[in-house]
Amino acid sequence: MNKVTQMLLVLTSIGILAGGLLAMVSDWASPLIAANKKAETEAAIFRVQSEGKSYEKLNNAGFEVYKVMSENSQVIGYALVYEGNGFQGKIRLICGLTEDLEKIKSMEILEQVETPGLGTKVTETPFTDQFNQLETSPTVNWVKGVEPENPNEIQAITGATISSKAIVAIINNGISQMKKLRDAGGLK
Amino acid sequence: MKKQVTLWQEYFKGVWENNPILIQLLGLCPTLAVTVSAINGLAMGLAATFVLVMSSLLISSIRKIIPNQIRIASFIVIIATFVTVVDLVMKAKFPDLSKALGPFIPLIVVNCVILGRQEAFASKNNPGRAFLDAVGMGTGFTIALLVLGGIREIIGSRTFFGLQVLPDQYEPWLIMILPAGAFLTLGLLLGISNMYTDRKKRMEHESIIAHYKRVGREDLAEQLGVK
């Protein structure tokens, strides 16, 4: 056999076999991966809206937000998933808001690639618990080195100031988007 | 004539005397990046071992039909396929682990331990030996990553496999779970392993000299001694 044809033949057949195998594995894995992701979001929604019993995605919002209902299908608030830039990459978080958007019920970081040991402290409870019952008007603020005095302030973590600031900024952006949506009547 | 190597040696050379991390210094990028905890090191090691074993077996069995000019391309396609399989399976079955290892699983594709073994061993030997070689190299890689991750986790966050092993009074050394800690730990590990190897070599050398002296060949002993 000609060398060139052999080269073509071997590499092509390796490619075809590899592609076939991957298609099979992907076929098997993608529903599982989607289910994992859905379960994860669902668990996160009910963690930030602890009295919630059911939820419904607002499809026309332009970003990811869920309306959360209590047992007797009364709307008790929203779960807002929003992302923005952190210190090294995207930070994605979920934030439970009251129905009037004036208070954060609680907040959780879903995805981040911050510096291990420093920036990743923003995912731990001493930091995230600061957001429980935090007021959102006019905006969420951060302070550094001193105890927060106002009901809309949190304390940034020393050594993770940029990550802390990034999270405050993401939350503020998200909430202002929510308020815009409410004013436009999109939350009905 | 080809040197005779027993099957056990074929396996064990990757674990110690030709360890991919400690001796060959291959695949350092994932080694340094993921070993912030013992579980990460273990998972990375096992994932890389799986890819290494599967690729070695396959490449060794089709080594005779792959033309020399396209061997690297073929190796990469085969390795990339197995890596993607591992990535998808981990995402589907172990989402937490897959999240922790993040982008480093896809990066196994360019792990030079794997490509290096295909080029240096699997493409020249039969599948049986390629399998042993791959398992050995994988074991060595996994052990090195586990040790590295274990040390960094204990000193850097006072836990081992997530269990607290050091008292609360101990302030964790943050630097150990930052990239700098990886370099420090790896450097010290390399130093220790070199020290051990050196001492072993010297002792062998001295025992040969002693043997020559015992059998009365002072001239040969002296020759070795001055070397």
Side-chain angles (χ1 to χ4, degrees), chain B residues 134-182:
Chain B
V135 175
M137 288 291 161
T139 315
F141 188 69
T142 309
I143 291 175
L145 257 66
L146 183 62
V147 170
L148 208 54
I151 293 173
R152 288 179 68 194
E153 189 182 350
I154 292 172
I155 304 180
S157 41
R158 66 186 173 206
T159 57
F160 185 64
F161 280 106
L163 295 169
Q164 187 162 352
V165 289
L166 290 176
D168 283 338
Q169 287 86 347
Y170 170 81
E171 184 62 36
W173 299 9
L174 263 190
I175 191 166
M176 292 305 281
I177 49 175
L178 294 178

Side-chain angles (χ1 to χ4, degrees), chain B residues 16 194-205:
Chain B
W16 178 250
N194 278 346
M195 199 172 80
Y196 178 80
T197 320
D198 268 2
R199 180 175 301 165
K200 207 172 148 195
K201 230 182 247 168
R202 207 167 53 234
M203 271 161 63
E204 264 167 25
H205 191 71

Side-chain angles (χ1 to χ4, degrees), chain A:
Chain A
M1 206 185 340
N2 186 331
K3 195 100 212 170
V4 178
T5 17
Q6 194 196 353
M7 276 158 62
L8 280 173
L9 216 65
V10 169
L11 201 49
T12 314
S13 27
I14 290 178
I16 291 171
L17 288 176
L21 177 68
L22 283 184
M24 262 158 54
V25 175
S26 170
D27 226 34
W28 164 83
S30 50
L32 285 173
I33 295 174
N36 280 340
K37 208 162 179 190
K38 186 156 176 279
E40 218 172 274
T41 324
E42 203 170 292
I45 290 173
F46 291 136
R47 271 202 302 273
V48 293
Q49 289 280 10
S50 45
E51 314 95 80
K53 284 283 175 283
S54 63
Y55 68 94
E56 186 186 307
K57 190 171 182 183
L58 294 179
N59 286 319
N60 52 352
F63 50 93
E64 208 179 334
V65 59
Y66 302 88
K67 189 154 72 173
V68 184
M69 271 84 70
S70 69
E71 227 159 332
N72 43 10
S73 47
Q74 195 83 28
V75 178
I76 54 165
Y78 301 95
L80 167 73
V81 180
Y82 214 74
E83 61 172 38
N85 287 330
F87 179 54
Q88 281 166 332
K90 286 256 183 289
I91 296 180
R92 195 161 160 263
L93 53 81
I94 185 166
C95 188
L97 298 166
T98 53
E99 209 198 335
D100 56 5
L101 307 183
E102 290 302 317
K103 260 191 184 173
I104 294 173
K105 286 192 177 166
S106 74
M107 185 278 285
E108 201 179 283
I109 311 288
L110 296 175
E111 280 165 34
Q112 48 81 27
V113 281
E114 302 304 288
T115 322
L118 292 171
T120 50
K121 277 192 182 158
V122 296
T123 62
E124 293 165 11
T125 41
F127 181 77
T128 52
D129 279 353
Q130 295 190 83
F131 288 86
N132 297 351
Q133 305 307 320
L134 194 72
E135 288 187 10
T136 60
S137 289
T139 55
V140 178
N141 270 331
W142 56 274
V143 292
K144 202 184 163 188
V146 293
E147 287 294 314
E149 285 171 357
N150 300 316
N152 64 336
E153 281 177 350
I154 59 120
Q155 190 177 15
I157 296 177
T158 311
T161 319
I162 297 177
S163 309
S164 312
K165 276 157 71 177
I167 284 167
V168 170
I170 294 167
I171 290 180
N172 282 332
N173 285 341
I175 290 174
S176 77
Q177 289 291 326
M178 283 290 283
K179 285 181 176 166
K180 256 185 223 162
L181 192 69
R182 180 188 57 188
D183 296 342
L187 288 186
K188 293 277 146 55

Side-chain angles (χ1 to χ4, degrees), chain B residues 43-186:
Chain B
M44 182 69 189
L46 291 179
T49 305
F50 172 79
V51 174
L52 180 56
V53 171
M54 297 306 283
S55 326
S56 277
L57 264 179
L58 186 63
I59 285 168
S60 160
S61 30
I62 58 170
R63 67 187 190 279
K64 285 187 180 130
I65 59 165
I66 299 179
N68 209 23
Q69 294 86 339
I70 55 155
R71 66 184 196 285
I72 303 278
S74 315
F75 297 168
I76 289 288
V77 173
I78 290 169
I79 295 168
T81 309
F82 284 120
V83 171
T84 316
V85 169
V86 170
D87 192 31
L88 285 172
V89 170
M90 277 179 94
K91 270 193 186 137
K93 289 283 169 195
F94 313 101
D96 290 336
L97 208 54
S98 150
K99 233 179 190 179
L101 294 176
F104 293 103
I105 292 292
L107 280 178
I108 298 176
V109 175
V110 285
N111 189 324
C112 33
V113 176
I114 297 172
L115 188 60
R117 285 336 281 171
Q118 311 315 328
E119 176 72 8
F121 200 88
S123 57
K124 299 191 183 89
N125 290 277
N126 62 42
R129 281 185 185 267
F131 174 78
L132 285 174
D133 173 77
V135 175
M137 288 291 161
T139 315
F141 188 69
T142 309
I143 291 175
L145 257 66
L146 183 62
V147 170
L148 208 54
I151 293 173
R152 288 179 68 194
E153 189 182 350
I154 292 172
I155 304 180
S157 41
R158 66 186 173 206
T159 57
F160 185 64
F161 280 106
L163 295 169
Q164 187 162 352
V165 289
L166 290 176
D168 283 338
Q169 287 86 347
Y170 170 81
E171 184 62 36
W173 299 9
L174 263 190
I175 191 166
M176 292 305 281
I177 49 175
L178 294 178
F183 285 106
L184 291 174
T185 317
L186 181 65

